[in-house]
Amino acid sequence: MSSSVSISDVELLSDLVLGTGPDVAAPRAAIRGALLEPGDPGWDEARGTYNLVVDQQPALIVVPADAAEVAAVLRFAGRHGMRVAPQRTGHNAEPLGSLAGTVLLRTDALRHVQIDAERRRALVGAGAKWEDVVPAASALGLAALHGSTPDVSIAGYTLGGGLGWYGRALGLACNSVTGIQVVTPGAEPRWVDADVEPELFWALRGGGGNFGVVTALEFRLFPISEVYAGILFFPWERSAEVLHAWEDWTRTVPDEMTSVGRIRQFQPIPAVPEPLRGKAFVLVEGIFLGTEEAGARLMEPLRALGPVADTFAMVPPVGIAELHMDSPLPMPYQGDGMVLADLTGEAIDDLVAAVGPGSGSPLVSVTIRHLGGELDRVRRGNGALARMPGSYIMFGIGMTPDPASIELTRGWLETMKRPMRALASGHYLNFTEKRTDPAEMFPADAYARLRAVRASVDPRGILRANHEIPVD
Ligand SMILES: Cc1cc2nc3c(=O)[nH]c(=O)nc-3n(C[C@H](O)[C@H](O)[C@H](O)COP(=O)(O)OP(=O)(O)OC[C@H]3O[C@@H](n4cnc5c(N)ncnc54)[C@H](O)[C@@H]3O)c2cc1C
């Protein structure tokens, strides 16, 4: 907010935006952030999402410069019967659906990061991405509970749970949060933690963006200076054999090992490094919190299968930021998956027959992440996603460069899910990219509690989350 203009000025001026002849020059000038109407320069960039299939058309876009401007946006929306959808990167934009009558509140400008190495805490703005924290923390011998891509916002990832490479040893990111700065849908800025408004604090940790616009969050960092991590690459013709061996092996590893079994078809495009371009593999990706010697011992049964490439080595925490090889660039795709109560050899055989070698599947990636360990333990003080509701989680992706390929890819994702249905044990909010009943993402008692918190903080349903918990 510029020193000469107050929040109420912004509100008064912003009334004009919805008037018959909106004069957007005044409210635009009144905020330090940005306010965009359809057709304004920068509109298309500001409404863009990671998944290029999604074509967001909100009524307005506001990029607030601080929490006070976030509150002004919420008050404005409340007065005008509009809704507010907070968003950073659009990594999970598809379930939002139509944004008619909705202000898209982009948190991009709230990107401050403070690391307190002594207290092992990070305090970050809602616009910060993991790429803003992981390298800086790593340089201090610290690690955060980030996931497979540096490109998502820490806020969005953590509000939905936060399933990362240290998960089996250290749990979900939402359960490492120590405090949250949030502007409630009633436009009240608050700091919430285990002692101050514990119920709201509980709901925000795993219940998604249903309870307020988060402007900053504080979370624990862990003293980790090196991990044993890497990928084993095998010819994809060996998918069934390798995934069987991986599944057997996951039943033997300690919590310090978090791993992924994966069928991966690299696209024949220049963005893919030459040695991988256009080729297909079955992979085992893994991170071990321990010494090289102990890590190498653990990997022995899988190494004995004879991978064609093996990148396992000791690396600092920053060295695993891109281990999963997620595309750093927006792309058109469809993704889907499910949490699995368990895995069986039969399910693996059926999955490989459905989307593995010889199936004709165009899915570029089918991953199964190993859960369990700390992800399965309900600790006192955990948030709404107290534990992951299964032992494995599957997620598949197919590219959709043109509209015709969207239906086709959806069909292949159904083909992928079919053999696993009998093992399904729910949905994980962050990995749910289709509109899905959020009741399927939480145990019944937690869901009832989330509904009660939502009804108390947002009785008018101003806030629009991608996975919306209904108000009534
Ligand atoms: C390539 C890729 C890799 C991924 N890897 C992982 C992974 O390893 N582990 C994992 O757990 N997830 C992972 N995800 C899922 C990711 O965590 C979710 O998509 C998450 O929602 C991204 O947050 P975002 O803010 O960047 O996305 P956005 O689409 O911008 O936001 C998603 C939703 O989060 C809420 N939200 C975001 N910011 C705020 C805020 N400040 N206040 C209130 N609500 C807010 C809103 O409801 C919003 O609709 C991955 C996704 C992709 C596409």
Side-chain angles (χ1 to χ4, degrees):
M1 189 68 51
S2 69
S3 56
S4 58
V5 185
S6 72
I7 294 288
S8 53
D9 290 335
V10 176
E11 288 165 0
L12 285 173
L13 294 168
S14 62
D15 284 351
L16 297 171
V17 175
L18 284 188
T20 45
D23 172 8
V24 294
R28 252 194 211 129
I31 58 169
R32 279 196 295 129
L35 186 158
L36 302 173
E37 276 197 310
D40 281 345
W43 173 260
D44 283 336
E45 196 189 330
R47 71 186 183 86
T49 65
Y50 178 76
N51 186 348
L52 297 175
V53 167
V54 182
D55 181 23
Q56 302 192 119
Q57 299 288 354
L60 286 175
I61 300 174
V62 183
V63 191
D66 54 28
E69 291 189 2
V70 169
V73 173
L74 285 159
R75 272 197 292 272
F76 164 73
R79 275 208 315 278
H80 294 284
M82 296 181 82
R83 306 193 71 196
V84 175
Q87 189 175 74
R88 171 59 170 106
T89 66
H91 269 69
N92 195 326
E94 193 165 344
L96 272 172
S98 164
L99 291 179
T102 301
V103 181
L104 184 64
L105 188 158
R106 300 291 300 227
T107 58
D108 302 30
L110 310 174
R111 205 169 174 172
H112 54 89
V113 168
Q114 243 176 284
I115 294 180
D116 183 336
E118 213 162 289
R119 287 176 61 235
R120 294 189 196 138
R121 293 277 195 280
L123 176 65
V124 307
K129 299 182 185 185
W130 280 121
E131 68 189 19
D132 301 324
V133 166
V134 172
S138 182
L140 297 165
L142 297 168
L145 303 188
H146 64 91
S148 67
T149 174
D151 195 33
V152 291
S153 87
I154 297 171
Y157 167 91
T158 306
L159 292 174
L163 176 64
W165 281 122
Y166 305 109
R168 283 175 36 81
L170 300 172
L172 289 163
C174 67
N175 294 321
S176 76
V177 172
T178 48
I180 299 178
Q181 195 178 62
V182 59
V183 183
T184 65
E188 291 169 35
R190 297 189 190 168
W191 173 265
V192 299
D193 58 29
D195 300 317
V196 183
E197 302 219 32
E199 195 64 5
L200 181 53
F201 183 56
W202 171 85
L204 284 163
R205 290 175 299 139
N210 282 286
F211 311 98
V213 180
V214 167
T215 51
L217 67 169
E218 188 196 59
F219 51 90
R220 277 187 213 104
L221 298 171
F222 298 85
I224 296 170
S225 53
E226 274 192 314
V227 296
Y228 185 69
I231 308 177
L232 301 181
F233 290 76
F234 298 89
W236 89 313
E237 291 74 16
R238 297 180 65 189
S239 291
E241 173 201 0
V242 171
L243 291 178
H244 273 287
W246 171 74
E247 183 250 324
D248 286 347
W249 175 80
T250 57
R251 302 190 187 271
T252 67
V253 297
D255 294 354
E256 286 73 22
M257 172 64 81
T258 299
S259 69
V260 175
R262 184 174 195 190
I263 294 173
R264 184 78 159 92
Q265 300 192 65
F266 290 97
Q267 290 181 282
I269 55 171
V272 174
E274 200 281 318
L276 303 175
R277 195 177 303 152
K279 297 191 179 138
F281 298 91
V282 56
L283 312 175
V284 175
E285 304 167 350
I287 301 276
F288 175 63
L289 280 174
T291 63
E292 181 165 16
E293 197 191 357
R297 231 184 359 258
L298 267 181
M299 296 307 297
E300 265 168 23
L302 297 177
R303 280 208 168 111
L305 298 176
V308 292
D310 175 350
T311 70
F312 273 84
M314 292 305 284
V315 292
V318 69
I320 62 168
E322 292 176 89
L323 182 73
H324 197 59
M325 301 174 286
D326 286 329
S327 166
L329 299 174
M331 53 182 192
Y333 71 96
Q334 291 292 292
D336 206 352
M338 57 176 78
V339 184
L340 304 169
D342 203 354
L343 256 186
T344 62
E346 194 188 346
I348 288 175
D349 285 337
D350 291 347
L351 180 73
V352 171
V355 292
S359 66
S361 160
L363 300 183
V364 293
S365 171
V366 176
T367 57
I368 304 178
R369 297 190 190 200
H370 182 206
L371 306 177
E374 189 63 17
L375 294 166
D376 196 31
R377 292 185 194 111
V378 178
R379 304 266 183 206
R380 205 177 136 81
N382 277 5
L385 193 63
R387 62 178 282 272
M388 287 296 289
S391 303
Y392 297 85
I393 184 167
M394 177 179 75
F395 193 76
I397 291 180
M399 293 300 124
T400 54
D402 50 62
S405 54
I406 294 176
E407 273 315 304
L408 193 76
T409 304
R410 284 188 183 149
W412 276 103
L413 290 167
E414 287 304 315
T415 302
M416 171 194 81
K417 290 196 305 185
R418 209 166 292 130
M420 312 306 266
R421 281 226 167 83
L423 299 168
S425 58
H427 290 279
Y428 167 49
L429 190 149
N430 276 356
F431 282 11
T432 305
E433 300 208 356
K434 295 278 160 282
R435 197 166 275 206
T436 302
D437 184 351
E440 293 178 28
M441 301 173 191
F442 304 95
D445 55 342
Y447 189 60
R449 209 171 144 187
L450 286 169
R451 288 196 67 167
V453 179
R454 169 105 164 119
S456 86
V457 293
D458 192 12
R460 292 171 58 203
I462 291 173
L463 212 62
R464 188 87 203 277
N466 54 351
H467 294 293
E468 189 167 1
I469 292 175
V471 174
D472 40 43

